[in-house]
Amino acid sequence: MKLIFATNNDHKAAEIRSVIRQDLEIITLKEAGIDQDIPEPYNTLEENARTKSATVYAQTGTACFSEDTGLEVDALGGEPGVKSARYAGENRSFDDNITKLLEKLKDKPDRKARFRTVISLIWEGKEYQFEGVCEGRILEERRGGQGFGYDPVFVPEGSGLSFAEMDMEGKNRFSHRKKATEKLVAFLNSLD
Ligand code: IMP
């Protein structure tokens, strides 16, 4: 069965395909023929995720889910949070966002942070949400070349390695997205 994942981030699609049941074919927006950047105008991950999945469902009538993730840094009052993708400004790179984050955290001893993912699934016209959290800390400088986004500066609790120093299997042992996805998969499995 086909399930649209409302994203064009191939890293995220690969991460979710690596943990979801094989009889569910995950297709991205591009693969579903949807060439549209769905806006994320709200101040919460929950509302942004819901808007994305509801927009795609209204267009396709196919079961779909979206996810929205934010990096919440305690010393910055929860920033960048819902603004994680565009922290350094619209159309800025992952690297620019990290530079801004490290600058803002300079000389701050409290490095505590967490990734929080909210998945919104529209199934038979009804919405369900699933959350996954990964606690950790922000490094003083980048480490590792794998992954994406803030991975080079985030070390999850219980590990000495940054996310960017781990392969996908390693990251999945801790990942916020994996935890939220496990809840999604458990829900989908319970439908049979
Ligand atoms: P999105 O809106 O869900 O795409 O996520 C917002 C931003 O959070 C992304 O552009 C990334 O910078 C960051 N992000 C999301 N998930 C991860 C992750 O697993 N590792 C590192 N950064 C992430």
Side-chain angles (χ1 to χ4, degrees):
M1 188 182 32
K2 278 192 170 52
L3 192 55
I4 299 175
F5 180 15
T7 187
N8 278 321
N9 181 323
D10 292 331
H11 281 282
K12 288 184 179 179
E15 283 183 13
I16 284 196
R17 284 187 184 117
S18 75
V19 293
I20 213 154
R21 39 186 263 206
Q22 295 301 302
D23 58 326
L24 283 176
E25 188 192 346
I26 303 298
I27 54 173
T28 60
L29 286 178
K30 211 187 304 161
E31 289 161 348
I34 299 172
D35 182 19
Q36 181 194 344
D37 233 0
I38 301 162
E40 300 181 359
Y42 298 106
N43 288 326
T44 64
L45 299 175
E46 283 79 1
E47 287 172 290
N48 283 331
R50 179 179 303 122
T51 304
K52 272 189 279 186
S53 57
T55 303
V56 173
Y57 186 76
Q59 283 183 19
T60 61
T62 301
C64 70
F65 67 96
S66 70
E67 65 95 24
D68 207 19
T69 297
L71 175 66
E72 301 172 346
V73 180
D74 285 358
L76 302 177
E79 272 194 12
V82 76
K83 289 183 262 161
S84 294
R86 48 187 188 282
Y87 195 38
E90 293 298 334
N91 304 320
R92 302 299 285 272
S93 67
F94 288 147
D95 205 50
D96 294 332
N97 289 335
I98 291 180
T99 300
K100 176 166 179 184
L101 178 70
L102 293 183
E103 187 56 37
K104 283 210 146 196
L105 280 178
K106 216 162 124 192
D107 304 325
K108 290 219 175 10
D110 179 5
R111 314 294 293 190
K112 224 173 155 343
R114 72 205 49 78
F115 276 114
R116 197 162 71 84
T117 291
V118 174
I119 290 179
S120 164
L121 168 72
I122 311 274
W123 185 267
E124 295 182 346
K126 203 167 162 227
E127 198 221 10
Y128 303 85
Q129 290 201 342
F130 310 95
E131 185 190 58
V133 175
C134 177
E135 297 286 342
R137 69 191 162 85
I138 304 297
L139 292 167
E140 315 266 318
E141 53 197 35
R142 296 160 175 82
R143 276 185 5 211
Q146 308 196 62
F148 70 103
Y150 298 90
D151 280 349
V153 290
F154 185 84
V155 172
E157 228 168 64
S159 170
L161 299 178
S162 78
F163 269 164
E165 293 176 303
M166 300 178 186
D167 58 17
M168 200 176 292
E169 199 185 322
K171 184 174 173 183
N172 275 341
R173 247 178 261 138
F174 302 95
S175 154
H176 42 293
R177 191 167 303 104
K178 166 85 183 299
K179 288 175 190 158
T181 306
E182 276 173 345
K183 293 181 189 172
L184 169 73
V185 171
F187 174 83
L188 292 169
N189 285 340
S190 77
L191 292 172
D192 285 348

